[in-house]
């Protein structure tokens, strides 16, 4: 596997505040984006890259940005153009133009792991569109050691990898993704959930045989990028990108998850529940409160049956009152 593959250990380091801060001294992400003259997508990427640090909200929910952090970023030299430059992304065509190569050659560089995607999305044709940091593309093009790659014939070793079908874009993106999520994780169980989220359910069950622990990890699983709706065309594509495929990557994640679980169990046991289904995914039934005597209950007609074929509760009460009046 290419030595350029990104792993969490090699992912860019970025600090995050660990203490919880009152909402009076912090800003919501949307407000923070406006304060920093960024679009929301640019702001989210700045957070992922560690350019803007966040803190947990005291009431839970999405993380917030301390006012002091906003002031720090705004005081940096070149703000806001410099900040926008760090989060600028390009697709294949624009990335190739920055390098001065054809889109086909740029794609080969990306497949070989020479340039690393930072984002992706599924377009209307159900194709994955990879996005790259413009600054990283410029740095690659400016490096003297890459001059022969930009103008000459692709070295034989790299050509062999391409002919074998190598494509490191999903794996390298997962390396960046897990690095960010681990930095944001609040406790050992949340860190274990981050690692587990990149393994398929079968391998996860092998490492985590306790269904209560599997259910807890599932509840802490970070949201998938774009949060595709279940059953949507993008959902299986997102699942494939978010799941480790290469044997060595899978073995690394298995070892990391086993270590993370040891630390999490030492921190505190996973919560126990009354029952857990065999797959480990826990669905907690919510029992609605008992209706008042005069409440109108929802219809329970079978699918396809018109609701007018049988009287509802309101009509039944009207008939009962009429009968009672007749008896008196």
């Amino acid at each position: 596997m290419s030595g350029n593959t990104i792993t969490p250990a090699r992912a860019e380091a970025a600090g995050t505040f660990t203490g919880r801060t009152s909402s009076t001294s912090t800003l919501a992400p949307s407000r923070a984006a406006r304060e920093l003259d960024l679009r929301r997508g640019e702001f989210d990427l700045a957070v992922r890259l560690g350019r803007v640090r966040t803190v947990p909200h005291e009431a839970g929910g999405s993380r917030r940005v301390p006012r002091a952090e906003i002031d720090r970023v705004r005081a940096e030299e070149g703000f806001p153009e410099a900040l926008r430059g760090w989060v600028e992304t390009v697709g294949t065509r624009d990335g190739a133009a920055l390098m001065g190569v054809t889109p086909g050659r740029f794609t080969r560089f990306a497949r070989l792991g020479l340039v690393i995607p930072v984002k992706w999305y599924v377009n209307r044709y159900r194709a994955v569109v990879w996005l790259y940091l413009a600054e990283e593309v410029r740095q690659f093009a400016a490096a003297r050691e890459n001059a022969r790659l930009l103008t000459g014939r692709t070295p034989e070793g790299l050509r062999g990898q391409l002919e074998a079908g190598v494509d490191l874009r999903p794996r390298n993106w997962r390396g960046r993704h897990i690095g960010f999520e681990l930095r944001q994780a609040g406790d050992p169980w949340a860190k274990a959930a981050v690692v587990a989220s990149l393994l398929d359910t079968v391998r996860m069950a092998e490492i985590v045989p306790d269904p209560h622990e599997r259910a807890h990890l599932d509840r802490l699983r970070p949201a998938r990028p774009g949060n595709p709706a279940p059953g949507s065309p993008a959902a299986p594509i997102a699942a494939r990108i978010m799941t480790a495929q290469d044997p060595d990557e899978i073995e690394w994640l298995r070892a990391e998850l086993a270590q993370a679980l040891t630390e999490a169990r030492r921190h505190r046991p996973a919560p126990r529940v009354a029952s857990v289904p065999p797959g480990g995914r826990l669905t907690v039934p919510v029992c609605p409160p008992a209706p008042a005597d005069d409440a109108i209950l929802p219809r329970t007609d079978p699918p396809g049956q018109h609701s007018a074929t049988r009287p509802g509760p309101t009509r039944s009460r009207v008939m009962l009152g009429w009968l009672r009046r007749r008896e008196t």
Side-chain angles (χ1 to χ4, degrees), residues 113-172:
L114 301 177
V115 287
I116 311 300
V118 71
K119 292 175 66 176
W120 59 269
Y121 66 91
V122 180
N123 65 15
R124 60 180 176 174
Y125 304 108
R126 302 185 186 181
V128 179
V129 178
W130 298 98
L131 299 175
Y132 308 83
L133 286 174
E135 182 60 26
E136 290 185 354
V137 173
R138 295 188 187 97
Q139 291 175 4
F140 180 90
R144 296 178 59 183
E145 60 269 23
N146 295 329
R148 292 183 59 187
L149 291 173
L150 296 175
T151 58
R153 184 177 174 83
T154 303
E156 182 177 351
L158 297 181
R159 288 203 310 272
Q161 292 184 51
L162 291 170
E163 292 170 359
V166 67
D167 188 352
L168 297 178
R169 288 174 295 183
R171 176 171 179 164
N172 284 345

Side-chain angles (χ1 to χ4, degrees), residues 22-47:
S22 164
S23 59
T24 58
S25 60
T26 61
L27 284 72
S30 56
R31 172 67 184 279
R34 292 194 300 270
E35 292 269 346
L36 296 175
D37 293 333
L38 296 175
R39 293 190 293 268
R40 181 56 193 269
E42 293 173 330
F43 171 81
D44 291 341
L45 185 54
V47 171

Side-chain angles (χ1 to χ4, degrees), residues 153-224:
R153 184 177 174 83
T154 303
E156 182 177 351
L158 297 181
R159 288 203 310 272
Q161 292 184 51
L162 291 170
E163 292 170 359
V166 67
D167 188 352
L168 297 178
R169 288 174 295 183
R171 176 171 179 164
N172 284 345
W173 177 84
R174 286 192 295 270
R176 280 193 136 141
H177 173 73
I178 193 176
F180 165 75
E181 294 292 349
L182 286 174
R183 291 192 299 271
Q184 297 289 89
D187 67 7
W189 279 108
K191 294 180 185 296
V194 170
V195 180
S197 69
L198 298 184
L199 291 169
D200 61 42
T201 54
V202 174
R203 291 188 174 90
M204 178 182 169
E206 292 174 353
I207 305 170
V208 193
D210 187 332
H212 299 276
E213 292 184 342
R214 287 201 304 273
H216 188 50
L217 292 174
D218 189 62
R219 288 195 299 273
L220 297 174
R221 179 189 297 266
R224 286 179 169 168

Side-chain angles (χ1 to χ4, degrees), residues 1 40 54 60 72-73 117 125 135 142 165 177 179 203 209 230 268 271 275 288 303 317 321:
M1 196 57 62
R40 181 56 193 269
T54 61
R72 182 192 68 81
V73 175
Y125 304 108
E135 182 60 26
H177 173 73
R203 291 188 174 90
R268 58 178 168 80
S275 62
R317 287 195 295 272

